[in-house]
Amino acid sequence: MAPIPKMTIPVCLIENPLGEKLYVNPEALKLLEKISQPLVVVSVVGTYRSGKSYLMNKLSGNPRGGFSLGHTIKANTKGIWMWAVPHPKQCGHTLLLLDTEGLGDVEKGDKQNDRMIMSLAMLMSSAVIYNSRDVINQDAVDKLYSMIELHQNIMDKSTNQKKKTGGQEKAEEAKMAPYFVWVVRDFTLKPELGGHPVTADEYLENCIMDITPVKTPKAQHKNIMRGTIRSYFPKRKCFLFELPSSDKGVVNIMDRVSETQLQPGFVKETKNFCQYILDEVPAKRLRPEQSITGATFAHLIKSYIQVVTKEDISFLESSILKLSQEENTKALERSYDVYENRMRAQHVNTEQEFQQLHEVSVEGALDEFKKLYVKHEKDQAAYEEQLQSDLLKRKEKNWENCENSSRKKCKALIEELISGMDKGIKERKYHVVGGHNRFVADKNRILKKYNQEPDKGVKAEEVIQEYLKQLEDIESIILQTDQALSAKKPKLLKVVDPSDCKQLTQYIQSYQLPTERSYRILIQLFGYAGHGKSSFVNSCLCVVGYNHYQDHAGEATSYGGKTIDRRGYKLTDSITVVDNRGFSKMDSPEAWEIYAQLCNFVALNEIVLWNKSLKERIEQLTKEEQEEKPDIIVPVLIYSSEQSLGDLEYERIIDFLKRAQKLTGILPFIILTKTMSINASCLTDKFSQMGMENIYCVENYLLSDHMAIRKKHLTFLTFLKDVLDCVDFHLHHSGKFQNQRREWIRFLMEMAGTMQSN
């Protein structure tokens, strides 16, 4: 809503028809109710045909329109007309001009009507302009006094009432009195006293000063009138206007002629008058701390009329009381809003943080109320006590909302984190030998991610403890199942006969890692495409636990491999064999991806890309740190005996094997496939020369040749048993994982920044 409605012409505010009561124009009230700015209310009173409307038009900034000047002997303005314009000097204020009907209208012949109009002007205005002609003489003083008698009677009643109830002092009332500006029109005399020139203000003060010495009752009465004027108008100003023009024709059309056609002195005094009104007159106030807006003014107008018609100030006082109560109610509502907005603006995670936020918000709400409070019969302390009491209730409601919101958020987070564990529980994946250790590891991983999530609210700890409590019975069952299965199938601690396939199989199946150190063993296969990695995976699965051969990994054709991702296949609870995308050139981009896998920076079951950008590689290294118990990666190179080993391949493979040992701490295992070839013996020698100790010549089980043969079984089982022996040795001598991780990041960062794509 705009702070002030646009008014192109004045509107009648209070109508005063002949022989009828004063009443308010509803259309004018609607306009006032739309004004949200403080009002500077300036009214003009005086005899009709004394030029009041001309001055008001000048103040409005529109001297050629607005209030009707009335160029006949009939009084033109009936009642009180208003014109609201943006204040030209006081930003954010509205100038409300009130032009009253001329006093002494012969058609009405009602002095009481004149007195009511004058008293209304005094009640409603920031400044009252009294317009008279010729000179300030005793007759002019008498008329002014008679017009304020009604106001005097009204205010005297108010003063008596206040004295009985301990109200405001007269000094405070004087501060709230309107400015009084006496405008003397057509002043033809020289402003002199005792032969000396005086200012207009000095001239006014001389005219209303006490007569001394007082020798007659008439003189005493004159002093009473003059004292009353001084008392009721402590802020006084006077302007003396000469004739606007000697040409009566020009005077009759002053609103339509140029200022150059008017007397210079008249034009100058008009400018001085406007400057004073616009610079000095303040906003209308009910109390020193409470200015009046248009909406407030509209609320009080009917009360103003009742005051002057019934000569009882209590009508206005009760309206002001009601208005103050409404304003203070609004101030309370605004203070509640300040409190609620501050409480909602900040997230809290503890009860202490909530209490601190509440205290800061209460302080802000109290400051807001103190700023908006309007003086009232209910004092400020009582309102503030009510405000603090209400805010305590709101605190309880806000705390309840915080609890509910936090609980809802935390439960949603837990549901998201436990989806994998819930699935495992339903599928009874933990109800196996070693299942309890896996369950505890998954539970701890969920707890860690939960604790890392920020802004969970005040119920974060309570909700997670409730969830952990729910898991106790499930964990107990898993532990009992694990112990029972372990008792039925005791772990084989030692292989007595390395040639016994059954003994080797039992040892591999029952092998368990020390859970406080590592999560699982990853037998990571590397090699060129089509060299038999996937077939090797199928063979390992077949000999360890699958009683018959199945193509789990996807056997490749003789024309090259088809595996494009890094996929894990679980042999036992502790051992997973990992198939991998085959090399094409084993250049630096491929080598970087291989080393990232060896350093635990690549997740299982994801597509392997050789051509990642530098940015993608750096992001891969700076992701959230892995679990504190990492996988143990055993590097295994698969090489087909049908392929010769050229010089370039030899150099790249030996470099890869050396780096693989350095990064994992485990000497790589070499698997030679298709060993019926004449190159098998030569390749065995070459890998031995490279320093490799664990070299195995195998014939994979294939879709075309999967009949179980003891010799084949024994080769794969021996390989797996040797892997486990190597892991045990590694765990006994390895250092701290976090130290390894820092070395891995440094190595991969350096390699990512210097490698060249081929």
Side-chain angles (χ1 to χ4, degrees), residues 153-172:
N153 292 336
I154 293 170
M155 300 310 292
D156 282 348
K157 289 180 183 179
S158 173
T159 302
N160 291 335
Q161 181 66 21
K162 287 174 182 176
K163 283 180 179 178
K164 292 177 184 178
T165 57
Q168 297 179 359
E169 297 179 357
K170 285 190 176 182
E172 186 173 342

Side-chain angles (χ1 to χ4, degrees), residues 353-413:
E353 288 178 1
F354 177 84
Q355 179 62 29
Q356 291 173 347
L357 178 60
H358 166 73
E359 291 173 0
V360 170
S361 301
V362 168
E363 185 178 349
L366 286 170
D367 289 342
E368 182 70 12
F369 182 78
K370 290 174 183 177
K371 183 172 65 176
L372 300 176
Y373 171 74
V374 176
K375 199 168 184 179
H376 185 242
E377 62 179 5
K378 181 178 177 180
D379 63 24
Q380 185 172 345
Y383 274 110
E384 290 178 6
E385 183 178 346
Q386 176 187 343
L387 175 60
Q388 289 182 315
S389 175
D390 292 342
L391 293 183
L392 277 177
K393 297 176 183 177
R394 288 173 179 258
K395 174 190 177 184
E396 294 175 2
K397 184 64 177 177
N398 275 290
W399 175 250
E400 182 180 344
N401 291 339
C402 279
E403 289 182 315
N404 293 338
S405 175
S406 174
R407 184 175 290 277
K408 182 178 179 181
K409 181 175 183 179
C410 292
K411 285 186 175 181
L413 175 60

Side-chain angles (χ1 to χ4, degrees), residues 534-535 537-539 541-542 546-555 701-703 706:
S534 298
S535 297
V537 171
N538 290 334
S539 299
L541 291 170
C542 176
Y546 295 80
N547 296 324
H548 59 280
Y549 178 86
Q550 291 184 20
D551 185 18
H552 295 282
E555 182 181 309
Y701 285 110
L702 305 173
L703 285 170
H706 56 265

Side-chain angles (χ1 to χ4, degrees), residues 159-313:
T159 302
N160 291 335
Q161 181 66 21
K162 287 174 182 176
K163 283 180 179 178
K164 292 177 184 178
T165 57
Q168 297 179 359
E169 297 179 357
K170 285 190 176 182
E172 186 173 342
E173 291 179 355
K175 292 179 183 178
M176 303 305 299
Y179 283 48
F180 179 74
V181 181
W182 197 323
V183 171
V184 183
R185 305 292 292 273
D186 302 341
F187 187 78
T188 57
L189 302 176
K190 289 185 178 181
E192 293 182 349
L193 292 174
H196 299 285
V198 293
T199 64
D201 292 338
E202 291 171 337
Y203 174 69
L204 170 61
E205 294 305 313
N206 182 71
C207 293
I208 60 174
M209 67 183 298
D210 286 349
I211 299 171
T212 55
V214 177
K215 296 181 179 181
T216 64
K218 185 180 289 188
Q220 185 177 10
H221 181 65
K222 289 179 180 179
N223 283 348
I224 291 173
M225 289 190 293
R226 296 182 181 201
T228 299
I229 293 171
R230 295 196 305 271
S231 173
Y232 274 82
F233 298 117
K235 301 159 189 171
R236 302 182 291 275
K237 186 71 177 175
C238 182
F239 292 93
L240 304 176
F241 286 80
E242 63 182 76
L243 284 166
S245 173
S246 57
D247 186 342
K248 291 185 178 180
V250 171
V251 172
N252 288 335
I253 56 171
M254 284 175 58
D255 57 336
R256 289 175 286 174
V257 301
S258 169
E259 288 186 348
T260 57
Q261 295 179 261
L262 303 177
Q263 293 290 349
F266 179 85
V267 173
K268 181 180 179 182
E269 193 71 348
T270 300
K271 291 180 179 178
N272 291 339
F273 164 80
C274 291
Q275 182 176 350
Y276 173 80
I277 296 296
L278 298 177
D279 287 349
E280 300 297 329
V281 177
K284 171 66 178 173
R285 295 181 178 274
L286 291 178
R287 298 185 178 93
E289 73 281 359
Q290 184 181 7
S291 60
I292 290 182
T293 64
T296 307
F297 194 73
H299 180 87
L300 294 174
I301 287 177
K302 291 182 181 179
S303 298
Y304 286 137
I305 293 176
Q306 286 181 305
V307 167
V308 299
T309 54
K310 298 184 180 181
E311 299 187 23
D312 190 347
I313 194 65

Side-chain angles (χ1 to χ4, degrees), residues 588-589 592 614 617-618 659 746-758:
S588 57
W592 191 94
L614 175 61
R617 296 184 191 276
I618 299 301
R659 287 187 183 274
R746 187 179 302 112
F747 164 72
L748 291 170
M749 283 285 194
E750 182 179 350
M751 186 177 181
T754 59
M755 71 185 189
Q756 299 292 326
S757 297
N758 294 335

